């Protein structure tokens, strides 16, 4: 069966190289959302299916003469170059790696993180392209959401179990870590990431009015967010919606009415829908006890993780201890403050331990520039600008609270890149140049 999965990756990758425009984007999205991120195209963990498809997308841009033009107009190119240089230096300075790995590991890291922003950016040429991309995401996740509901009814995800078992000695972790009740992840590898990504796609759709049958799909998405059974995804999606409403409506009567209706519906749902009640209980437990009663990460654990991260940071403050240092050295070797790190749930901890202070500065520059660009395009299209800002801030909250597991960087960055190119295109059409 692994041969069939690899054949799927090969066909998708080859098709991406040979096509362009909307069809190429659709192929990439199908490849990413229907291929678990554990899939590798060879024995090396540095050559994943995701990296292969992203590389093929870049190859297609070059083949069709689109790479240079897109890179030239890409407003985040310099900070992306800075981050890429730093990541390669982290790899080259890591004495644990051989010559090949010192390049292949940073390459995979960049391809599946900050470069995805450019991938999304380069996939859009016009407003119609962006609208088509939203249709693709909506249709793909309608199917993904239906499968999510089916797995909840089954209380099992047989496809996830089967695929992950082919790339390890046992089924994936989420088949066994279900102490809170079943957590839906559908075709994604992590229910925490799944709830957040579904929320991002739903929020992005609010740029345009949701009409007719799309309301049923929106409810399907909300159900899947709830069934992901993750406090972090609940909080991140809620943060995005609050920021979006505050920036768009401020404290208007419309916003107040919407909040009143939402509160009323939530009250009814709490007493009548068990999964929704569990969601509210998880959130309230986090506030009241720091998450002690729900399992998973607690505020006390976060404090221990911060102290432990600083312990390892001072050992290599400039360029970190190396990529995958947590999993390959701290977890395997134990000792030191490894137990206090637990699963190292948080991107900040990863930056401190594995990347170092120079990378932290580059990352701050990247996201500052990103937020600045979206804010400057507010006069071009306020709804899309505001939605993008809300997604960025909720995404930063999410990765700081949970980490970058489950390829959340890939999914979110591509969507944000699409939005950036759409705003830039609208700016050119309206002859408005952001200050």
């Amino acid at each position: 069966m692994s041969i069939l999965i690899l054949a799927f990756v090969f066909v998708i990758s080859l098709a991406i190289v040979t096509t362009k425009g909307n069809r190429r984007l659709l192929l990439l999205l199908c490849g990413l959302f229907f291929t678990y991120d554990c899939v590798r195209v060879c024995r090396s963990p540095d050559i994943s299916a995701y990296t292969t498809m992203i590389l093929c997308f870049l190859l297609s841009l070059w083949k069709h003469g689109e790479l240079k033009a897109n890179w030239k107009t890409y407003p985040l190119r310099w900070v992306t170059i800075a981050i890429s240089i730093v990541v390669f230096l982290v790899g080259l300075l890591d004495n644990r790696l051989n010559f090949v790995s010192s390049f292949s590991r940073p390459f995979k890291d960049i391809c599946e993180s900050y470069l995805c922003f450019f991938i999304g950016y380069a996939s859009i040429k016009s407003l119609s392209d962006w609208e088509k991309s939203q249709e693709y995401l909506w249709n793909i996740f309608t199917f993904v959401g239906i499968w999510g509901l089916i797995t909840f009814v089954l209380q099992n995800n047989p496809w996830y179990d089967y695929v992950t078992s082919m790339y390890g000695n046992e089924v994936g972790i989420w088949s066994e870590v279900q102490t809170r009740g079943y957590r839906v992840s559908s075709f994604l590898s992590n229910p925490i990431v799944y709830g957040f990504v579904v929320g991002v796609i739903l929020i992005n759709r609010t740029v345009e009015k949701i009409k007719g049958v799309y309301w049923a799909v929106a409810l399907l998405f909300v159900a899947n967010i709830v069934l992901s059974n993750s406090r972090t995804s609940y909080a991140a999606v809620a943060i995005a919606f609050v920021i979006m409403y505050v920036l768009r409506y401020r404290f208007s009567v419309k916003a107040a009415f919407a909040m009143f209706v939402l509160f009323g519906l939530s009250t009814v749902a709490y007493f009548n829908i068990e999964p929704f009640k569990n969601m509210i209980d998880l959130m309230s437990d986090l506030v009241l006890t720091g998450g002690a009663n729900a399992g998973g990460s607690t505020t006390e654990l976060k404090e221990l993780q911060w102290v432990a991260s600083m312990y390892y940071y001072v050992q290599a403050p400039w360029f970190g201890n190396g990529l995958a240092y947590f999993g390959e050295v701290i977890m395997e070797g134990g000792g030191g403050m490894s137990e206090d790190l637990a699963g190292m749930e948080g991107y900040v901890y990863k930056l401190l331990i594995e990347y170092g202070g120079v990378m932290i500065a580059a990352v701050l520059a990247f996201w500052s520039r990103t937020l600045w660009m979206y804010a400057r395009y507010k006069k071009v299209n306020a709804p899309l600008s505001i939605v993008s800002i809300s997604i960025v801030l909720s995404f930063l909250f999410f990765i700081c609270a949970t980490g970058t597991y489950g390829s959340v960087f890939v999914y979110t960055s591509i969507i944000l890149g699409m939005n950036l190119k759409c705003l830039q295109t609208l700016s050119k059409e309206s002859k408005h140049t952001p200050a």
Side-chain angles (χ1 to χ4, degrees):
M1 190 67 177
S2 61
I3 295 177
L4 292 178
I5 296 174
L6 291 177
F8 173 76
V9 173
F10 176 78
V11 170
I12 287 286
S13 299
L14 183 62
I16 288 172
V17 173
T18 57
T19 57
K20 58 182 180 178
N22 287 325
R23 187 182 175 190
R24 178 175 59 196
L25 174 61
L26 178 59
L27 288 167
L28 177 65
L29 294 176
C30 287
L32 293 175
F33 289 119
F34 294 122
T35 305
Y36 288 115
D37 56 7
C38 65
V39 176
R40 301 186 301 272
V41 297
C42 66
R43 291 184 178 182
S44 173
D46 296 335
I47 307 178
S48 70
Y50 278 22
T51 298
T52 302
M53 289 184 283
I54 290 167
L55 181 60
C56 285
F57 194 94
L58 291 172
L59 184 60
S60 179
L61 289 173
W62 173 79
K63 180 177 182 292
H64 295 98
E66 303 171 71
L67 182 61
K68 184 177 180 181
N70 276 291
W71 184 251
K72 186 177 180 179
T73 60
Y74 183 47
L76 301 173
R77 62 185 181 278
W78 292 114
V79 283
T80 302
I81 289 172
I83 284 177
S84 300
I85 291 172
V86 175
V87 174
F88 272 104
L89 285 174
V90 170
L92 290 170
L93 294 173
D94 189 349
N95 55 21
R96 298 176 300 127
L97 305 180
N98 59 36
F99 180 77
V100 174
S101 295
S102 65
F103 285 95
S104 63
R105 185 169 291 187
F107 182 77
K108 177 180 183 293
D109 187 87
I110 294 166
C111 281
E112 297 188 17
S113 59
Y114 291 95
L115 191 60
C116 287
F117 217 107
F118 174 70
I119 296 296
Y121 175 89
S123 69
I124 303 298
K125 289 184 178 180
S126 62
L127 176 61
S128 62
D129 280 350
W130 182 86
E131 291 172 343
K132 198 71 176 178
S133 72
Q134 303 312 299
E135 288 293 325
Y136 291 155
L137 288 169
W138 203 254
N139 293 335
I140 288 171
F141 269 81
T142 299
F143 184 78
V144 171
I146 291 172
W147 176 243
L149 291 184
I150 291 173
T151 63
F152 180 76
V153 172
L154 296 174
Q155 291 289 288
N156 182 42
N157 190 335
W159 181 241
Y160 170 78
D161 291 347
Y162 190 79
V163 173
T164 54
S165 66
M166 289 188 294
Y167 295 91
N169 297 323
E170 54 188 16
V171 296
I173 182 176
W174 296 109
S175 294
E176 300 175 350
V177 184
Q178 300 288 0
T179 55
R180 297 180 193 166
Y182 187 73
R183 307 171 76 172
V184 168
S185 62
S186 191
F187 288 102
L188 274 63
S189 63
N190 188 310
I192 307 172
V193 171
Y194 178 65
F196 175 71
V197 173
V198 174
V200 166
I201 293 170
L202 180 59
I203 292 166
N204 220 46
R205 187 73 184 196
T206 62
V207 172
E208 301 174 341
K209 288 186 178 180
I210 299 175
K211 301 177 182 179
V213 70
Y214 289 112
W215 274 110
V217 180
L219 291 174
L220 173 68
F221 287 3
V222 171
N224 275 266
I225 294 170
V226 173
L227 295 176
S228 70
N229 209 354
S230 166
R231 294 169 300 183
T232 310
S233 60
Y234 297 159
V237 173
I239 286 170
F241 269 107
V242 169
I243 292 173
M244 181 182 68
Y245 261 85
V246 169
L247 292 179
R248 186 180 292 187
Y249 302 111
R250 297 187 183 276
F251 299 101
S252 64
V253 174
K254 185 176 182 178
F257 178 74
M259 294 302 294
F260 177 78
V261 172
L262 181 62
F263 178 78
L265 293 174
S266 298
T267 302
V268 173
Y270 181 81
F271 290 104
N272 292 278
I273 303 175
E274 188 65 26
F276 187 83
K277 182 179 183 300
N278 292 338
M279 178 185 75
I280 299 301
D281 289 343
L282 283 172
M283 296 301 296
S284 60
D285 178 67
L286 185 63
V287 174
L288 296 174
T289 72
N293 297 327
S297 299
T298 66
T299 53
E300 182 181 358
L301 176 60
K302 292 294 184 183
E303 293 173 1
L304 292 173
Q305 288 175 324
W306 179 260
V307 173
S309 297
M310 292 303 298
Y311 168 80
Y312 290 103
Y313 168 74
V314 297
Q315 296 177 8
W318 296 108
F319 291 99
N321 293 284
L323 303 177
Y325 185 84
F326 170 72
E328 295 176 353
V329 178
I330 297 176
M331 288 294 289
E332 289 188 8
M337 301 186 73
S338 58
E339 293 184 2
D340 290 341
L341 279 171
M344 197 175 71
E345 297 93 347
Y347 186 50
V348 175
Y349 310 140
K350 187 179 182 70
L351 288 172
L352 287 168
I353 296 170
E354 298 187 352
Y355 293 91
V358 178
M359 181 64 171
I360 292 173
V363 167
L364 289 173
F366 181 93
W367 290 111
S368 297
R369 172 71 174 171
T370 300
L371 286 169
W372 183 83
M373 290 302 303
Y374 285 131
R376 289 300 184 183
Y377 282 124
K378 189 175 179 181
K379 291 183 179 180
V380 176
N381 187 311
L384 183 56
S385 171
I386 289 169
V387 161
S388 299
I389 291 171
S390 68
I391 292 174
V392 168
L393 294 176
S394 64
F395 172 69
L396 293 177
F397 165 81
F398 181 91
I399 62 176
C400 287
T402 299
T404 56
Y405 305 112
S407 298
V408 66
F409 226 123
V410 174
Y411 309 134
T412 310
S413 296
I414 288 176
I415 294 171
L416 287 170
M418 292 176 184
N419 290 356
L420 181 59
K421 184 60 169 292
C422 181
L423 287 167
Q424 189 183 64
T425 302
L426 290 172
S427 176
K428 291 179 180 179
E429 291 177 355
S430 64
K431 297 181 179 180
H432 169 76
T433 303

